[in-house]
């Protein structure tokens, strides 16, 4: 990375070399990876597996004794007082299809909530870091809350499994320009970056949302957990198939404006 990270707490900088190595390997592999379907229908490549193994091994060296829950590895909540939640390559479908938009998502949990988060976007060479109670940065520059000036005509992010809510409220005009980015973590964090005014995710797993959750929180973007909250995960629980439907918005006003479509998501 060429950015200057002088403003970021040293704890976050410990991950720089590890993330640089994984991001560079992913950029080299992009466009050259065959994919296969997993049991849940999602895709995986050899690069996903290599990235997962490398990140888990690297975290073990940097943070001895801290467990790791990862998409391609152990999905049990670790029993250590601090642990990591990792998605080594969020957006495998994009990656395998030759669409240059995916992310590496990592978050360190303490007391049941993320306290350090990193979202690296290798194709854009962007790295977003958040530290609980301290702030958030993109490529070393502090990020500011998106504020309360977002207009109803702003972009709104839906995932492929939430797009059906538009049909459930046929008599109501959707208050945004729809975008489907194909990367759950970046869909959510797009709100914090001021790129969208809302993101609705129907089936995110804990590794999809862990890092984005902290970035959103640090930039004062309200979240509404629609079924269950990921706070206070129980050690030993298997979250390989647990969904955490969520609505994220740029302001409380935007949250309320889009709530009817979030509630429609829960309709049978």
């Amino acid at each position: 990375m060429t950015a200057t990270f002088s403003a970021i707490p040293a704890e976050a900088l410990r991950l720089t070399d590890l993330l640089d190595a994984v991001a560079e390997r992913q950029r080299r592999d992009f466009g050259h990876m065959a994919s296969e379907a997993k049991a849940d229908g999602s895709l995986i490549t050899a690069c996903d597996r290599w990235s997962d193994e490398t990140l888990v091994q690297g975290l073990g060296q940097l943070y001895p004794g801290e467990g790791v829950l990862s998409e391609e590895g152990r999905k049990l909540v670790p029993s250590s007082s601090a642990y990591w939640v990792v998605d080594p390559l969020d957006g495998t479908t994009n990656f395998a299809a030759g669409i240059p938009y995916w992310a590496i998502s990592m978050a360190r949990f303490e007391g049941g909530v993320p306290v350090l988060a990193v979202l690296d976007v290798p194709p854009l060479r962007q790295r977003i870091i958040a530290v609980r109670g301290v702030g958030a940065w993109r490529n070393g520059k502090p990020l500011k809350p998106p504020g309360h000036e977002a207009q109803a005509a702003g972009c709104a992010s839906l995932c492929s499994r939430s797009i059906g809510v538009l049909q459930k409220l046929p008599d109501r005009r959707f208050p945004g320009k729809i975008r489907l980015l194909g990367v759950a973590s970046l869909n959510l964090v797009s709100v914090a970056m001021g790129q969208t005014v809302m993101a609705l995710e129907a089936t995110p797993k804990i590794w999809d949302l862990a890092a984005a959750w902290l970035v959103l929180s640090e930039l004062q973007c309200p979240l509404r957990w629609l079924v269950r909250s990921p706070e206070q995960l129980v050690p030993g629980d298997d979250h390989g198939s647990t969904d955490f439907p969520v609505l994220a918005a740029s302001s409380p006003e935007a949250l309320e404006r889009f709530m009817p479509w979030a509630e429609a998501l829960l309709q049978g």
Side-chain angles (χ1 to χ4, degrees), residues 32-239:
H32 306 285
M33 286 281 105
S35 64
E36 59 186 86
K38 296 192 289 187
D40 63 0
S42 61
L43 298 181
I44 189 170
T45 70
C47 189
D48 290 77
R49 295 189 177 98
W50 178 88
S51 299
D52 190 90
E53 292 172 1
T54 301
L55 290 170
V56 171
Q57 187 176 70
L59 289 172
Q61 295 171 351
L62 290 169
Y63 296 87
E66 297 188 5
V68 181
L69 185 164
S70 71
E71 180 180 11
E72 311 305 344
R74 286 177 56 84
K75 298 178 178 62
L76 304 181
V77 179
S79 58
S80 51
S81 58
Y83 60 85
W84 292 83
V85 177
V86 173
D87 190 336
L89 203 165
D90 187 18
T92 300
T93 298
N94 283 357
F95 181 81
I99 299 171
Y101 198 59
W102 72 88
I104 303 165
S105 175
M106 301 171 57
R108 185 174 188 258
F109 278 60
E110 292 181 1
V113 295
V115 296
L116 170 62
V118 180
L119 269 169
D120 192 280
V121 192
L124 301 182
R125 296 181 183 271
Q126 291 186 359
R127 185 167 298 165
I128 302 162
I129 293 174
V131 178
R132 180 165 292 277
V134 180
W137 301 259
R138 176 172 57 182
N139 285 3
K141 296 181 179 180
L143 290 168
K144 296 180 180 179
H148 305 286
E149 293 80 24
Q151 301 299 314
C155 293
S157 173
L158 297 177
C159 69
S160 60
R161 296 180 181 87
S162 66
I163 193 74
V165 300
L166 301 178
Q167 298 174 327
K168 295 181 178 181
L169 297 174
D171 298 328
R172 301 189 64 168
R173 182 177 180 273
F174 187 75
K177 298 178 180 179
I178 298 167
R179 297 293 181 269
L180 279 78
L181 305 176
V183 186
S185 60
L186 298 182
N187 290 348
L188 290 167
V189 87
S190 69
V191 176
M193 307 292 287
Q195 298 161 338
T196 63
V197 295
M198 177 279 275
L200 180 60
E201 285 289 317
T203 59
K205 303 298 189 287
I206 186 62
W207 51 80
D208 293 316
L209 59 86
W213 175 12
L214 181 56
V215 178
L216 287 159
S217 298
E218 285 302 304
L219 295 178
Q220 302 170 27
C221 297
L223 289 165
R224 184 73 56 85
W225 306 110
L226 302 175
V227 174
R228 60 181 64 85
S229 169
E231 296 178 344
Q232 304 297 333
L233 299 178
V234 177
D237 279 2
D238 186 338
H239 284 286

